[in-house]
Amino acid sequence: MGATATFGRVLFAFVFIASAMNKLSSLAEGGEMLDSVSPRLAVARHALARKVGIDPLFFASDGGLVLVATLMELAGAALFVADFALGAKLLMLFILLVTPIMHPFWAAYPDAHTERAVDMIMFFKNASLFGAQYAVDKFPLTPELKAKGITVAT
């Protein structure tokens, strides 16, 4: 992997690494972040319970779910920087699981137009990041492309 590709991977992964480190720090300090996360997780748990009949996440606390998601985010970013395909897959899974729960811009927002706008922006930002990850994962620079003279700028 060339220097330019490595730099691009680091820049891309920085969003996830910084976010994960912020979440880990918040959890270590007592989890004030859980005050904003818990209501959204409660909605997701309720929706799952309606479909399945029970809360399939009954065994996990909100803090535990946030910790697992954060570790997935951090591991995915680190593996992505190291050019492992598993990193891209973990980040895509993280985005698919977390985005609809944490940024439901379609939900009712009584008198909170700013919060709805922020959620919409964050939702579509995450959708864009997913698209970039999908492209990296599905269209890697193969030896055949290299043989044709197509290279990553270094």
Side-chain angles (χ1 to χ4, degrees):
M1 179 169 54
T4 303
T6 301
F7 182 66
R9 287 178 174 279
V10 168
L11 286 178
F12 185 89
F14 179 76
V15 170
F16 298 101
I17 293 169
S19 173
M21 297 307 288
N22 185 43
K23 287 179 211 144
L24 289 174
S25 173
S26 177
L27 286 172
E29 293 172 2
E32 284 183 29
M33 167 202 39
L34 289 177
D35 293 340
S36 63
V37 172
S38 290
R40 298 202 176 190
L41 285 173
V43 170
R45 285 176 185 270
H46 179 71
L48 281 171
R50 277 196 346 234
K51 294 289 183 187
V52 178
I54 63 165
D55 177 6
L57 302 173
F58 68 90
F59 57 88
S61 67
D62 289 349
L65 290 173
V66 170
L67 180 61
V68 168
T70 301
L71 293 176
M72 180 192 309
E73 179 181 25
L74 190 58
L79 289 170
F80 180 75
V81 168
D83 199 20
F84 286 96
L86 180 60
K89 288 174 176 50
L90 280 174
L91 289 175
M92 287 190 299
L93 180 62
F94 171 79
I95 291 169
L96 281 175
L97 292 174
V98 171
T99 300
I101 294 170
M102 294 309 301
H103 305 297
F105 66 90
W106 55 87
Y109 285 89
D111 300 325
H113 299 294
T114 303
E115 184 180 356
R116 182 183 187 136
V118 168
D119 272 342
M120 184 181 289
I121 290 166
M122 296 301 285
F123 183 92
F124 287 112
K125 180 227 11 146
N126 287 357
S128 298
L129 290 173
F130 180 87
Q133 283 297 102
Y134 184 79
V136 166
D137 186 53
K138 295 298 177 193
F139 307 108
L141 192 58
T142 63
E144 293 81 20
L145 291 175
K146 288 179 184 177
K148 291 180 181 179
I150 300 170
T151 61
V152 174
T154 57

